[in-house]
Amino acid sequence: EAVAREHSYALGSGLSAALVAVEHQSGRVVAYVGSSGLLDEARSGAVDMARAVRSPGSTLKPLIYGLAFESGIAHPETQIEDRPQRFGTYVPKNFDNDWHGNVSVREALAQSLNIPAVAVLDRLGPQKLFGRMQQAALSPVLPDDAEPSLAIALGGLALAHQVLALV
């Protein structure tokens, strides 16, 4: 509890943290802290952040590139352009609001570049990523009647975490 509290306070006001510690050999949960402080309203302390449905952000990028490797679309040294691109009405930007020119897929992943990830997902098709998440029991959640789009490459969906099954 102290680690979650100290970490969230170091990050700034209004932020919370959760902690789930799992023994790697058995998979047994040995510690579970759902928030940085149950009574801290400014940090939504009553919300169990370990079980909350939320955006995965850039954590799907390795899965996108893995699917590209599996499909033969790319490999780690494949060169990809990191430049301003429009995908229909969708215009993703990098976190640093900059472009890095030609980079390898390895570099794009290491630097967590958004535009190359969206470009690769455009070639794969967002439904392929969404389907693989379902196969992996990641429980992806889209708004009612929405179809998977390129925005899921950057966390444009929510994941319902399956921590309950571990506890």
Side-chain angles (χ1 to χ4, degrees):
E1 291 170 345
V3 168
R5 185 173 41 259
E6 289 168 15
H7 183 69
S8 67
Y9 280 56
L11 291 173
S13 63
L15 300 176
S16 190
L19 183 139
V20 178
V22 179
E23 185 179 73
H24 78 282
Q25 289 178 325
S26 69
R28 186 175 67 88
V29 174
V30 295
Y32 182 102
V33 179
S35 75
S36 57
L38 179 63
L39 302 177
D40 190 341
E41 289 181 27
R43 295 177 188 277
S44 301
V47 175
D48 183 343
M49 300 304 284
R51 296 181 189 179
V53 175
R54 59 190 180 275
S55 169
S58 291
T59 61
L60 297 179
K61 288 175 185 168
L63 185 55
I64 293 168
Y65 291 122
L67 287 171
F69 300 163
E70 180 181 282
S71 300
I73 292 172
H75 61 80
E77 298 311 317
T78 297
Q79 293 293 299
I80 189 163
E81 290 186 23
D82 180 41
R83 62 172 175 77
Q85 292 186 53
R86 178 179 295 276
F87 301 88
T89 59
Y90 186 48
V91 184
K93 294 183 176 170
N94 287 322
F95 183 75
D96 62 1
N97 287 316
D98 200 2
W99 299 278
H100 305 271
N102 279 347
V103 295
S104 68
V105 166
R106 180 188 313 275
E107 291 171 285
L109 178 57
Q111 295 179 42
S112 193
L113 300 176
N114 291 340
I115 298 165
V118 173
V120 170
L121 185 60
D122 188 43
R123 292 208 43 213
L124 285 168
Q127 187 60 47
K128 185 164 189 157
L129 174 61
F130 193 81
R132 185 58 61 93
M133 286 188 287
Q134 289 175 315
Q135 287 177 338
L138 292 177
S139 304
V141 178
L142 291 169
D144 292 339
D145 300 323
E147 291 291 320
S149 70
L150 295 177
I152 68 174
L154 309 179
L157 54 69
L159 290 180
H161 300 284
Q162 301 298 321
V163 174
L164 285 175
L166 298 174
V167 177

